[in-house]
Amino acid sequence: PAFDDAKWAAKLKEHGKLGVSPWGIPNYTSRRSAPASNVDPLDPKNISAAPGFVVEHVHTVDKGTEGSWVSLTTGPRGGFYASDQGGKGLFHITVGKNGKANVEPVVVKTPDGKSTLSGAQGLLWAFDSLWFHKSGSHLYRLTDSDKDGVLDRSEEIPSERGGGEHGNHGLILTEDGQGIYMDGGNHANLAPTKTQAVQTWAEDLLLPRMWDANGHARGRLAPGGWVTRLDPETKTQHLVSTGYRNQYDITLNRFGEMFTYDADMEWDMGSPWYRPTRINHVVSGSDYGWRSGSGKWPSYYEDSLPPVLDIGPGSPTGVVDGRGTKFPAKYQDAVYALDWTYGTIHAIHLKPNGASYTGEREDFVFGTPLPVTDAAIGKDGLFYFTVGGRGAQSAMFRVRYVGNESTAPAQGVDDAKAAKARKLRRELERFHGRKDKAAVQEAWPQLASQDRFIRNAARVAVESQPVAQWAEKAVSDDNPQTRITGLVALARMGTADHRAGALAGLLELNPANLSEGEFLGLLRAYALNFIRLGKPTDSERRQIIAELDSFLP
C-alpha cells in the first residue's frame, strides 16, 4: 500500500482494445503476423517454412468445379486422391515433372445410384480399393470393376451415420497391413463392434455437470471420439480407443505406434476444465476422457491417460508421419499435425518416455491465412498438403528440402529401454477384449507399474476377464498402487454387491503414506465407487470424511 505508483501513468502505452488481438492467446506462441491486405495467400513466397525447406505451389482449386479440398491421400501409382468437403466430388491428381498438377474428376455413384460420392473427410488407398469415409454418412469401398484403371463401383461398409465436421474422419492402414484404422469425432455414432479393447464407459462424473451455455454437444455422452480397427474381409470392427473431442486424423510412426491431434473447445478458454489441442498416443483400451461441457476428465484420472504434448488453441485437421520423405532424419521421424485456424503445420518431434512418448513442437510450415486441411507423403519423397475447408479458396502445395543435411532413409534406431517398455505394454494389450486364463496372473503385477501406460494396459487386461477371478485380490492386495488400480477396475466392472468390500479396501489405505499419484488414484477410486456401485452409508461417509478431511485446505 505504501508503494508510490504516481509515475506509472507516464509509461503507459495503448495497444488496442482488450481482447484476443493484439494481446495473443494464453499458452500459444507464434511467429506469425497478420498479412497486408494485398498479400496473396496462395503465393508460396508468403508461406514460411522451417530452415532448409521451401514451399512450392502445385494447384489452385477451382471453386466452381472442384470445390474446397479437405481430404488427401496417395494413390497406387504415385498420384493422389482429394475430396471436396461439399458436393463437388472426388478428384485424382497427377503431379508432373514441372511440379504442376493435372486434375481429373472421379465420378462414382453411391450403391443405390442416387448420388455421386463427395464430402470425404478420410481417404485411403488399400487392398486395391479407395476407402472413402464420408462425413455424416458411411464408409464406402471404391473399386475398378472392369480393370480399366478408373474407379467405377462403390460398396457401403456397415457403419453409422452422423457428425458432420465432428463425424467420420481419418483412415490409415494398420501396422500389420491386415486392416484399417478408422477414427470419428465426438458426434460420430460408433458402429456396432465385434470386440472392444475399452471395456466400459460412462460419464463417470461425481459432481453435477454444466452443459455448454451455447448448447454445443449438449446431451452428447461418452464415448466421445473413437478409433476402431476394421477387418476388410469380415467388415467387422474392433474398438481400440475412446474419449476424444474431435480428432480429425491418425497416423503411425515407424514403430507402429498411433498418434492423433485432438481438438480443444475454444469456448472453454479461461475455465478450469479447458483442455488445449493436444497430441495423444492412441493405445489399446485408452479413454482420453472427453465429456461434454464441464465434464472433461483431467489427465491425472487413474482410468485415463496423459497427452504426449499440449499445444494450445486451434482446429486440428490432418496428421501424417514423416516416413518416406526426402528430409533429414529428424523430420523423417516427426509426426506432422495440421492446425486449420492458425495456418500451421506442426512438426512434433517425439521422445520415448517409458511405454509412451513426450513431444516437442516446431512450426514447420505456416502462413496467414493458411487453412491447412490434410497432408500426404508423395512417392517422390515430398510433403504435399492442401488448404481449404468450409468453402475457402483451396489449393495444393508441396514442401521440399533444399538444405545440406543428408536425406538418406533414416535408420530409426530405437531406445532400448523404451522399446522394452512398449513391448511389455503390447503383450498386455493382447488380452484386451478377450478372455484368457493367463491374463490376470500376467497383468496383475503391472497394476503397480509407475508407467501409466503399462498400468493402464494391465488394468484393461484385468477388466477383460470375469470379475469373480480377481475381485478379492483387488480388495486385499498389499501394494497400495495395485489395490488402487484394482479397485478402480472393480468399480468399473463390478456390481453393487462389490461396493462395501471395495470401499473397505480403500479405507484401509492411509493417504498420508501415499505418493501424490497414488493419492489422486485413491480419490478417483472413491469417486468411481460412489458413481458406479452406489452411495456410501452414513457410517462409511463418516469414515471417509475422517480420512480425507485433514487434506483439505
Side-chain angles (χ1 to χ4, degrees):
F3 183 78
D4 181 9
D5 61 2
K7 296 181 180 180
W8 280 10
K11 298 181 180 180
L12 295 179
K13 181 178 179 181
E14 182 175 336
H15 290 276
K17 185 178 178 181
L18 180 63
V20 170
S21 181
W23 307 95
I25 296 176
N27 302 321
Y28 190 83
T29 57
S30 171
R31 295 177 287 179
R32 299 175 294 288
S33 59
S37 59
N38 60 349
V39 167
D40 178 4
L42 299 186
D43 186 339
K45 290 186 295 186
N46 298 318
I47 302 173
S48 300
F53 294 89
V54 294
V55 178
E56 299 172 333
H57 176 269
V58 175
H59 177 67
T60 297
V61 177
D62 184 282
K63 273 190 177 185
T65 60
E66 297 170 350
S68 190
W69 293 354
V70 295
S71 190
L72 180 71
T73 193
T74 53
R77 291 177 292 277
F80 300 87
Y81 288 98
S83 177
D84 173 35
Q85 185 175 9
K88 299 298 182 182
L90 175 68
F91 302 90
H92 183 263
I93 303 103
T94 303
V95 180
K97 292 182 179 179
N98 61 355
K100 298 303 177 183
N102 177 54
V103 178
E104 298 174 300
V106 179
V107 181
V108 181
K109 297 285 187 179
T110 54
D112 60 13
K114 293 181 178 180
S115 60
T116 300
L117 282 171
S118 187
Q121 292 194 2
L123 293 170
L124 171 68
W125 183 270
F127 309 108
D128 295 322
S129 310
L130 181 66
W131 300 79
F132 187 107
H133 214 192
K134 182 173 172 60
S135 174
S137 185
H138 297 287
L139 174 67
Y140 296 90
R141 183 176 189 171
L142 280 57
T143 53
D144 176 8
S145 63
D146 55 11
K147 308 300 181 183
D148 66 350
V150 178
L151 297 173
D152 56 15
R153 180 179 178 273
S154 69
E155 174 190 6
E156 186 178 295
I157 305 300
S159 56
E160 294 290 323
R161 300 175 63 93
E165 288 188 351
H166 287 240
N168 299 329
H169 290 326
L171 303 165
I172 60 172
L173 193 65
T174 58
E175 63 274 21
D176 60 9
Q178 302 300 306
I180 294 173
Y181 285 124
M182 307 165 53
D183 82 322
N186 61 330
H187 283 208
N189 297 322
L190 180 62
T193 53
K194 183 178 180 181
T195 54
Q196 302 178 174
V198 185
Q199 288 303 290
T200 178
W201 58 81
E203 296 303 286
D204 289 329
L205 305 176
L206 185 62
L207 301 179
R209 179 220 321 268
M210 289 184 286
W211 294 102
D212 183 85
N214 285 326
H216 180 80
R218 181 180 290 270
R220 194 75 191 178
L221 303 178
W226 45 264
V227 176
T228 62
R229 175 178 172 134
L230 173 73
D231 184 322
E233 298 300 322
T234 65
K235 302 175 185 175
T236 58
Q237 293 186 49
H238 167 75
L239 178 62
V240 176
S241 178
T242 64
Y244 305 94
R245 179 174 184 256
N246 191 28
Q247 78 297 10
Y248 188 86
D249 205 356
I250 45 180
T251 194
L252 297 171
N253 72 357
R254 70 169 64 251
F255 303 113
E257 300 290 330
M258 193 183 334
F259 299 89
T260 191
Y261 182 21
D262 197 15
D264 65 342
M265 176 49 175
E266 60 272 24
W267 299 341
D268 288 344
M269 285 180 61
S271 70
W273 55 88
Y274 174 70
R275 299 201 316 186
T277 67
R278 55 189 192 161
I279 305 298
N280 286 352
H281 185 189
V282 184
V283 293
S284 175
S286 55
D287 183 339
Y288 274 97
W290 177 86
R291 302 296 187 266
S292 190
S294 65
K296 299 168 188 67
W297 296 0
S299 59
Y300 60 76
Y301 272 8
E302 185 64 30
D303 45 341
S304 191
L305 288 169
V308 170
L309 176 68
D310 283 336
I311 290 184
S315 295
T317 50
V319 181
V320 68
D321 178 69
R323 283 173 299 158
T325 56
K326 292 181 179 178
F327 290 175
K330 171 184 177 180
Y331 293 96
Q332 292 181 42
D333 284 330
V335 166
Y336 297 87
L338 281 63
D339 178 355
W340 187 82
T341 294
Y342 290 99
T344 304
I345 300 175
H346 304 291
I348 309 300
H349 302 292
L350 300 170
K351 293 185 175 181
N353 181 35
S356 184
Y357 295 81
T358 58
E360 293 183 356
R361 171 177 67 92
E362 176 188 6
D363 287 351
F364 179 65
V365 171
F366 49 93
T368 309
L370 192 70
V372 287
T373 55
D374 207 356
I377 308 304
K379 298 291 176 65
D380 55 6
L382 303 185
F383 183 106
Y384 289 80
F385 68 92
T386 52
V387 302
R390 296 183 179 177
Q393 177 59 60
S394 191
M396 185 174 182
F397 297 92
R398 69 182 186 185
V399 184
R400 187 161 52 90
Y401 181 67
V402 295
N404 297 321
E405 294 185 49
S406 170
T407 59
Q411 298 301 310
V413 178
D414 201 358
D415 178 276
K417 185 177 179 180
K420 183 178 179 181
R422 293 198 306 273
K423 182 175 183 290
L424 173 58
R425 192 202 77 225
R426 290 173 180 171
E427 289 172 349
L428 295 168
E429 289 172 352
R430 79 183 190 277
F431 298 121
H432 292 183
R434 71 181 187 90
K435 293 178 172 56
D436 190 306
K437 292 180 179 180
V440 173
Q441 181 178 356
E442 189 170 328
W444 201 262
Q446 303 306 328
L447 295 180
S449 175
Q450 294 304 298
D451 187 315
R452 287 188 60 190
F453 283 77
I454 291 176
R455 195 162 77 234
N456 190 83
R459 176 181 54 77
V460 176
V462 169
E463 289 181 354
S464 299
Q465 312 311 311
V467 175
Q469 290 184 10
W470 52 270
E472 290 187 13
K473 289 169 65 71
V475 172
S476 60
D477 198 286
D478 292 335
N479 184 291
Q481 182 64 71
T482 301
R483 185 181 296 193
I484 289 166
T485 312
L487 291 177
V488 164
L490 187 57
R492 286 165 53 85
M493 302 303 296
T495 67
D497 292 339
H498 297 104
R499 187 197 63 77
L503 207 54
L506 293 173
L507 282 165
E508 288 179 359
L509 297 173
N510 183 353
N513 297 331
L514 302 178
S515 68
E516 181 182 34
E518 290 169 341
F519 185 40
L520 291 172
L522 174 69
L523 296 177
R524 181 58 173 166
Y526 271 126
L528 287 169
N529 188 291
F530 304 154
I531 295 164
R532 295 237 184 170
L533 303 184
K535 293 182 179 180
T537 66
D538 287 342
S539 173
E540 291 166 340
R541 192 188 310 272
R542 286 192 294 271
Q543 292 179 71
I544 296 164
I545 291 173
E547 184 175 272
L548 299 178
D549 192 54
S550 64
F551 294 92
L552 293 172

